[in-house]
């Protein structure tokens, strides 16, 4: 139960991060649910998207600067889905060194955004005027202190009272306004435009309307006027109160909010706004399209809901460190959709600061680049892999050999290079055609890979030439055993639609001995050793130069 429950208007208490601490029964009746359902939730959940954006970009910065706001126009989101126009007041308080924010909402009951006067101020003004009309000094003290333009017109449309803001608007003093006719003050064009509302007010009907009003300095502003009939004890209308508010700034803010909301929703990139604890405050339609999550499924939850598990904690530590240091971070991140599908996003994160320079929010903008990444990977694979056998090609193999030679030059490590040339392959190709030849090459590639450790590599140089790179070859005997296994594997019959085929292989072996050997020299040595094996009768292996 809230201490504010007896108050018949919605009241909310939050911490400095906008998380709900308490709300009264009036607000619960509007928003739905129980107090426990709202505890620690972000207050943005009470508002539709345009109001959320205005809260984040305008209201909170003003609160951080001034410690209070007055009569800000927003909308509350009812449990029914309806949007309830309200005016918002908020006051910062501190207890035991902890800041709290008490939000007071006045429901306006109008049909569209920014169509009515500030209800709370109007209500206070109306009540004060009705109770103290006979006491000029008290009325003057009260009404001169409010920002609204207040005047009282009798049945003859003669001004009986005007507060200081009203008089200043027309460039006169309150004393000069007393006794002036409305037609004289407004001028013929504006008086004619306003006359239907005047007649309705004198007939006892409260009027509320917007109009463009000229000021004494020659400018024209957007104003909201309220004409409130004043009745005597018998119920007869004896005049009306005029309460006018300059809403030009609100209209400009409304336009800015609508534009921001339109851009927010219309952009093709996904957008996510979080607080400094990575709690999601709002997302756009593109976010839903790209991730599968609706707004109501992620607002109030931590952004780690999108974590794919492909990045370690150090990655995110560095990300936020750069974000705090520079205010921005750009890069590629693997994320996870609602259906658990992992995708790659191009992500840009920007920090939002208040006027004191403190980070208050983060805004992330991203797009799905998975298809682009797949194509790049495919192109890269084509550049470094043999398209027929999918083994590394010559370029990839030579790069790996260069890296291993560099490592072996620094460490106590031996590497061996085996150069394989198929025996009998030309006969198969000539008799059965290239399709059969391709089948044989792919079969041989598979068999070579099956005979090797994960640390070893098989590659195709071209034609019927293959190479095997043994990382950390222990001895001459171990290399010889590998060569014997490879010969046996290649010699095994190959099944095909034409029946059983068979090819053999001759292997030349070169062992890395010193850091002056280049990859090209090692490959040439193995190639020369292979020809020695062929001369020795094929289906055999031979070491080049010195043995391991």
């Amino acid at each position: 139960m809230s201490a504010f429950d007896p108050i018949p208007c919605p009241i909310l208490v939050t911490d400095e991060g906008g998380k709900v601490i308490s709300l009264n029964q009036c607000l619960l009746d509007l928003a739905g649910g129980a107090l426990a359902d709202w505890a620690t939730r972000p207050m943005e959940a009470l508002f539709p998207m345009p109001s959320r954006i205005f809260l984040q970009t305008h209201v909170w910065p003003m609160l951080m600067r001034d410690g209070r706001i007055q009569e800000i126009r927003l909308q509350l989101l009812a449990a029914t889905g309806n949007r309830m126009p309200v005016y918002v007041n908020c006051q910062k308080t501190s207890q035991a060194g902890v800041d709290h924010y008490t939000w007071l909402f006045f429901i306006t009951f109008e049909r569209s955004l920014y169509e009515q006067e500030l209800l709370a101020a109007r209500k206070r003004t109306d009540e004060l005027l009705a109770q103290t009309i006979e006491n000029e000094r008290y009325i003057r003290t009260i009404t001169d202190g409010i920002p609204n333009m207040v005047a009282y017109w009798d049945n003859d449309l003669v001004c009986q009272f005007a507060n200081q803001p009203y008089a200043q608007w027309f460039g006169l003093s309150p004393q000069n306004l007393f006794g002036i006719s409305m037609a004289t003050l407004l001028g013929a064009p504006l008086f004619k435009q306003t006359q239907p509302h005047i007649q309705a007010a004198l007939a006892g009907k409260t009027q509320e309307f917007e109009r463009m009003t000229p000021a004494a300095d020659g400018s024209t502003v957007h104003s909201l006027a309220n004409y409130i009939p004043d009745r005597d004890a018998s119920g007869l209308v004896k005049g009306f109160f005029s309460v006018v508010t300059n809403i030009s700034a609100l209209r400009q803010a409304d336009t800015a909010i609508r534009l921001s909301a339109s851009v927010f929703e219309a952009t093709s990139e996904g957008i996510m706004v979080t607080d400094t604890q990575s709690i999601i405050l709002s997302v756009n339609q593109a976010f839903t399209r790209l991730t599968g999550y609706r707004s109501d499924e992620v607002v109030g939850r931590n952004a780690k809901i999108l974590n794919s598990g492909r990045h370690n904690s150090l990655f995110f530590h560095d990300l936020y460190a750069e974000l705090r240091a520079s205010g921005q971070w750009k890069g590629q991140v693997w994320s996870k959709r609602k259906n658990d599908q992992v995708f790659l996003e191009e992500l840009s994160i920007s920090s939002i600061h208040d006027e004191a320079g403190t980070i208050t929010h983060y805004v992330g903008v991203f797009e799905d680049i998975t298809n682009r990444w797949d194509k790049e990977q495919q192109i890269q694979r084509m550049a470094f892999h043999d398209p027929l056998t999918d083994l590394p090609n010559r370029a990839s193999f030579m790069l790996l050999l260069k890296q291993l030679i560099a490592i072996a030059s620094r460490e106590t490590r031996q590497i061996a290079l085996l150069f394989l040339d198929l025996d009998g392959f030309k006969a198969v190709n000539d008799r059965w055609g290239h399709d059969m030849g391709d089948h044989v090459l792919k079969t041989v590639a598979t068999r070579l890979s099956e005979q090797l450790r994960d640390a070893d590599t098989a590659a195709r140089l071209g034609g019927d030439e293959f190479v095997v790179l043994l990382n950390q070859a222990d001895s001459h005997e171990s290399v010889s055993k590998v060569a014997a296994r490879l010969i046996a594997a290649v010699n095994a019959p190959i099944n095909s639609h034409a029946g059983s085929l068979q090819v053999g292989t001759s292997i030349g072996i070169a062992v890395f001995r010193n850091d002056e050997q280049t990859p090209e020299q090692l490959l040439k040595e193995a190639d020369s050793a292979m020809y020695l094996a062929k001369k020795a009768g094929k289906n055999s292996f031979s070491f080049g130069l010195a043995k391991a």
Side-chain angles (χ1 to χ4, degrees), residues 378-513:
Q378 183 178 2
I379 293 172
Q380 185 175 6
R381 186 167 187 83
M382 291 172 62
F384 289 98
H385 284 75
D386 175 52
L388 177 64
T389 64
D390 202 35
L391 291 178
N393 60 13
R394 177 184 288 269
S396 179
F397 175 78
M398 294 302 289
L399 180 62
L400 176 60
L401 179 57
K402 182 178 181 181
Q403 293 171 347
L404 286 181
I405 287 177
I407 294 173
S409 299
R410 297 190 304 267
E411 303 175 358
T412 306
R413 177 183 299 198
Q414 242 184 7
I415 58 176
L417 190 156
L418 286 66
F419 194 109
L420 292 78
D421 184 80
L422 299 186
D423 298 326
F425 175 75
K426 184 176 184 303
V428 172
N429 220 20
D430 291 343
R431 181 176 180 182
W432 302 104
H434 292 293
D435 289 344
M436 183 62 70
D438 289 347
H439 173 66
V440 170
L441 292 174
K442 288 190 286 185
T443 303
V444 169
T446 301
R447 291 178 179 179
L448 293 179
S449 298
E450 291 172 348
Q451 296 299 318
L452 302 179
R453 303 168 302 177
D454 291 340
D456 303 328
T457 304
R460 182 188 177 204
L461 298 185
D464 60 349
E465 293 181 339
F466 294 85
V467 286
V468 169
L469 187 58
L470 302 181
N471 187 10
Q472 293 183 326
D474 297 333
S475 63
H476 172 272
E477 288 75 20
S478 64
V479 176
S480 298
K481 289 180 180 179
V482 173
R485 288 203 312 269
L486 296 178
I487 292 173
V490 173
N491 272 271
I494 299 174
N495 295 323
S496 70
H497 65 83
S500 180
L501 303 174
Q502 191 171 18
V503 293
T505 184
S506 298
I507 302 177
I509 304 171
V511 177
F512 176 74
R513 297 179 304 282

Side-chain angles (χ1 to χ4, degrees), residues 134-442:
E134 293 83 9
N135 190 334
E136 174 69 19
R137 183 192 62 79
Y138 187 55
I139 293 176
R140 179 71 56 197
T141 301
I142 297 299
T143 58
D144 283 351
I146 65 175
N148 307 79
M149 299 162 51
V150 181
Y152 182 85
W153 302 90
D154 62 17
N155 274 328
D156 296 323
L157 299 183
V158 173
C159 181
Q160 300 298 325
F161 172 84
N163 71 345
Q164 192 66 33
Y166 199 104
Q168 290 175 344
W169 181 261
F170 290 98
L172 301 171
S173 67
Q175 294 75 17
N176 291 335
L177 280 176
F178 183 79
I180 196 171
S181 70
M182 181 176 278
T184 300
L185 182 65
L186 298 183
L190 186 58
F191 181 75
K192 182 178 180 180
Q193 177 185 351
T194 312
Q195 202 162 27
H197 300 290
I198 297 171
Q199 297 303 321
L202 292 176
K205 299 177 182 179
T206 299
Q207 297 295 293
E208 185 172 79
F209 58 95
E210 291 185 23
R211 66 185 180 191
M212 300 304 295
T213 305
D217 61 3
S219 63
T220 302
V221 301
H222 209 124
S223 63
L224 179 66
N226 290 268
Y227 289 172
I228 306 161
D230 178 35
R231 302 176 186 272
D232 60 18
S234 64
L236 294 176
V237 176
K238 58 180 182 179
F240 63 88
F241 297 101
S242 170
V243 182
V244 181
T245 303
N246 181 352
I247 61 170
S248 296
L250 294 179
R251 280 301 184 194
Q252 292 172 0
D254 181 28
T255 301
I257 290 172
R258 292 180 185 276
L259 178 60
S260 297
S262 298
V263 172
F264 187 81
E265 292 298 343
T267 182
S268 60
E269 290 86 4
I271 301 178
M272 176 176 66
V273 181
T274 74
D275 63 13
T276 55
Q277 303 303 314
S278 297
I279 301 302
I280 299 174
L281 303 178
S282 59
V283 297
N284 66 347
Q285 294 179 5
F287 176 96
T288 298
R289 174 175 55 81
L290 292 170
T291 68
Y293 286 105
R294 300 190 311 271
S295 174
D296 62 331
E297 294 177 314
V298 294
V299 170
R301 302 180 67 179
N302 195 288
K304 66 183 180 182
I305 188 176
L306 302 175
N307 195 338
S308 67
R310 292 195 179 186
H311 303 286
N312 57 27
S313 58
L314 180 60
F315 173 85
F316 292 104
H317 175 272
D318 293 343
L319 185 156
Y320 280 102
E322 181 178 338
L323 186 58
R324 286 190 292 268
S326 66
Q328 285 190 327
W329 183 90
K330 292 183 179 180
Q332 296 179 354
V333 178
W334 287 100
S335 295
K336 183 174 65 176
R337 306 187 208 275
K338 181 181 178 181
N339 62 4
D340 290 332
Q341 182 185 32
V342 175
F343 69 101
L344 184 64
E345 62 181 59
E346 188 80 46
L347 175 63
S348 174
I349 306 177
S350 300
S351 55
I352 305 300
H353 300 76
D354 59 19
E355 292 186 354
T358 303
I359 296 176
T360 59
H361 298 84
Y362 293 116
V363 178
V365 180
F366 67 94
E367 60 176 325
D368 185 350
I369 62 168
T370 309
N371 291 337
R372 188 177 76 193
W373 184 85
D374 287 341
K375 291 178 181 178
E376 290 174 352
Q377 293 300 304
Q378 183 178 2
I379 293 172
Q380 185 175 6
R381 186 167 187 83
M382 291 172 62
F384 289 98
H385 284 75
D386 175 52
L388 177 64
T389 64
D390 202 35
L391 291 178
N393 60 13
R394 177 184 288 269
S396 179
F397 175 78
M398 294 302 289
L399 180 62
L400 176 60
L401 179 57
K402 182 178 181 181
Q403 293 171 347
L404 286 181
I405 287 177
I407 294 173
S409 299
R410 297 190 304 267
E411 303 175 358
T412 306
R413 177 183 299 198
Q414 242 184 7
I415 58 176
L417 190 156
L418 286 66
F419 194 109
L420 292 78
D421 184 80
L422 299 186
D423 298 326
F425 175 75
K426 184 176 184 303
V428 172
N429 220 20
D430 291 343
R431 181 176 180 182
W432 302 104
H434 292 293
D435 289 344
M436 183 62 70
D438 289 347
H439 173 66
V440 170
L441 292 174
K442 288 190 286 185

